[in-house]
Amino acid sequence: MFLENTVNHKEQFGWIEVICGSMFSGKTEELIRRLKRAQFAKQKVEIFKPAIDTRYHDEMVVSHDSNEIRSTPVPAAANISILAQGCDVVGIDEAQFFDDEIVTVCNDLANQGIRVIVAGLDMDFKGNPFGPMPALMATAEYVTKVHAVCTRTGNLAHFSFRKADNDKLVMLGETEEYEPLSRAAYYHAMKKDQGK
């Protein structure tokens, strides 16, 4: 469970919050909620997303529920450091699509006194840790794992099952291509796919 950090003005360090889970679990929704609260508190907020993520909008971070917040698309994690100067809060969506430099960028920002909120898939469609997310989770002060609801069993889902016949690691998609599954449903779906 995430608890807001207490404010100690003597300590000039920020922190990192990671929101992770499967597809359709509400990661982006939670990221937007936290960022809008910071904006309401009159904090200087900047939001970034990978330039390759153009599913809903080129410049907006948009949740599956159509909640949105303006963002800056960047081609690489290193761009964030340059664009985040003077911020109180930095939000980063779809962190799994960034290069490993995102871990250093987030830690450098936190060390400058910035609150860094990162959202991303913790596992890829094969059930393996996804990109820089494990390292971000390890260095973060707060990690919130959110869950979807399994479309086959109704239980909590934390696997993103790819329905499309495509082995590329990065494949942007929605409900036509992906389905949130529980461990049992994912195991049976993968077993069935291997039997083809």
Side-chain angles (χ1 to χ4, degrees), residues 8-23:
N8 177 355
H9 294 291
K10 293 179 184 172
E11 184 180 66
Q12 293 300 309
F13 278 79
W15 64 90
I16 301 171
E17 304 164 24
V18 172
I19 306 161
C20 63
S22 69
M23 291 192 69

Side-chain angles (χ1 to χ4, degrees), residues 134-151:
L136 282 168
M137 292 164 67
T139 58
E141 280 82 354
Y142 305 101
V143 176
T144 304
K145 184 155 183 168
V146 291
H147 296 84
V149 175
C150 179
T151 56

